[in-house]
Amino acid sequence: MLEEVERWLSTRSWSVTDRPLHQILAAKQRTGQSVSVVLPALNEEETVGDIVAVIRHDLMHQVPLVDEIVVVDSGSTDRTSEVAAAAGARVVHRDEILPRVPAVPGKGEVLWRSLLVTTGDIVCFIDADLKEFSSDFVSGIVGPLLTDPGVDLVKAMYDRPLGAAAGQGGRVTELMARPLLNMHWPQLAGFVQPLGGEYAARRSLLEQLPFPVGYGVELGMLVDALHLVGLDALAQVDVGVRKHRHQDGQALGRMSAAIYRTAQLRLARGHLVRPSLTQFERGEDGFEPRTYSVDTEERPPMVEIAEYAARKVA
């Protein structure tokens, strides 16, 4: 490990207990910064309501840390929108945001569009499939941004159990993302959960970043933020344990392909490779190929979007 990363681990890796809630609130009041929480959601009716309810109870009603909770529904066919709204979130459908730009499927697409329907100086992203959710996930990653002006982006780190096996979650992280980062961006080798969906950042940073539309968004954001603001502006906070719904092996393969493509684009812009992935399923006549396109589209920095610039002027 690079000496720079060892130093970073001792100065930019914290625990949620390092910043008591009263300290975070005092910093928020002193600086006057506002906080938006965004939940990208696709068919998450079983979990999204509980997450929204916990954030509202702990961080809006009990203490005034969070200013708005927005659930961006990316085309759910279940009751995700209804459940989220009933729990107290403002629900916006992906296709209603920036309608002149046709939406494409993907998590990064939703996160990018969320910048147009939120107002916080700090934007906190939380996955909508978390179980046994704790508001520490929000306060833990927002805290450094409120208390330390030198920090621009904070990732949550946590244990990820896979069933009854502790620490075995994050398979795409261990098999794809961590090797890529260690080999090509060793400054980012200290991140425990580089692909984790729980992170917060200053709007002033997010609006300058391109957003891969699919699962490559987390890796792309880390790499681009490193180049834009430097390692010391990035941090991570231990928030405990993350429990969520796990994907099957083939879905993980598609995620990995999107992440690899995101990395490849950053390693050599314009060097084209075949952006598709063939997997196999056993059918009546033996193994049958299934080919999927790999996300290659990216959204430009939000500051380049006329509607966003007009809103800032207004």
Side-chain angles (χ1 to χ4, degrees):
M1 181 177 292
L2 298 177
E3 289 185 9
E4 180 183 7
V5 176
E6 292 182 354
R7 178 192 52 78
W8 179 84
L9 282 169
S10 66
T11 61
R12 285 291 186 263
S13 292
W14 298 296
S15 166
V16 68
T17 58
D18 289 336
R19 288 175 177 79
L21 196 53
H22 68 83
Q23 179 184 343
I24 298 172
L25 287 170
K28 183 176 191 289
Q29 293 169 358
R30 184 176 64 254
T31 61
Q33 297 177 92
S34 55
V35 177
S36 299
V37 175
V38 172
L39 278 72
L42 176 63
N43 295 329
E44 303 293 358
E45 66 176 1
E46 294 184 4
T47 50
V48 68
D50 289 340
I51 297 172
V52 171
V54 168
I55 296 172
R56 281 184 58 83
H57 175 269
D58 292 359
L59 303 180
M60 296 182 82
H61 295 160
Q62 287 197 332
V63 298
L65 180 63
V66 172
D67 298 283
E68 65 176 346
I69 305 176
V70 178
V71 171
V72 183
D73 190 330
S74 59
S76 298
T77 56
D78 64 1
R79 297 181 60 253
T80 290
S81 291
E82 294 87 342
V83 170
R90 176 160 62 93
V91 179
V92 185
H93 194 280
R94 174 199 63 199
D95 297 346
E96 297 172 356
I97 307 170
L98 199 63
R100 73 171 177 84
V101 179
V104 297
K107 180 183 180 182
E109 177 83 353
V110 173
L111 300 184
W112 181 72
R113 289 173 186 263
S114 76
L115 296 181
L116 267 166
V117 292
T118 54
T119 59
D121 302 302
I122 294 170
V123 182
C124 175
F125 298 120
I126 301 290
D127 281 350
D129 66 342
L130 303 188
K131 303 174 182 177
E132 302 177 27
F133 178 77
S134 166
S135 59
D136 285 348
F137 275 70
V138 175
S139 59
I141 58 179
V142 166
L145 294 163
L146 289 170
T147 60
D148 190 335
V151 174
D152 288 326
L153 184 149
V154 183
K155 298 279 293 189
M157 57 178 168
Y158 31 65
D159 294 317
R160 295 184 65 180
L162 181 61
Q168 295 300 308
R171 291 162 288 174
V172 176
T173 293
E174 300 303 333
L175 297 175
M176 174 60 70
R178 201 178 307 286
L180 280 172
L181 292 176
N182 275 263
M183 287 187 289
H184 299 298
W185 296 281
Q187 286 179 295
L188 298 174
F191 277 94
V192 176
Q193 297 292 351
L195 299 185
E198 292 70 44
Y199 47 99
R202 300 190 192 281
R203 177 176 295 273
S204 57
L205 170 63
L206 293 172
E207 66 187 13
Q208 297 182 70
L209 299 177
F211 276 61
V213 297
Y215 285 115
V217 63
E218 275 85 23
L219 183 135
M221 189 177 295
L222 265 187
V223 171
D224 293 340
L226 173 68
H227 290 302
L228 192 62
V229 296
L231 181 60
D232 281 342
L234 313 180
Q236 60 185 349
V237 174
D238 187 349
V239 296
V241 179
R242 183 187 198 268
K243 297 182 180 179
H244 66 114
R245 170 174 45 81
H246 291 283
Q247 302 278 1
D248 63 34
Q250 293 208 334
L252 297 181
R254 295 190 289 275
M255 290 181 197
S256 297
I259 290 163
Y260 178 79
R261 175 59 172 167
T262 299
Q264 188 273 336
L265 284 172
R266 279 152 178 78
L267 287 168
R269 297 279 182 178
H271 175 61
L272 298 180
V273 295
R274 179 174 175 262
S276 62
L277 173 72
T278 299
Q279 297 177 318
F280 293 87
E281 297 178 5
R282 185 182 291 278
E284 294 182 0
D285 300 320
F287 285 102
E288 300 174 355
R290 299 284 187 272
T291 299
Y292 302 87
S293 61
V294 175
D295 296 320
T296 59
E297 188 171 356
E298 298 194 3
R299 295 306 189 188
M302 188 56 79
V303 289
E304 298 178 9
I305 300 301
E307 289 87 341
Y308 187 79
R311 190 193 74 167
K312 294 187 74 174
V313 171

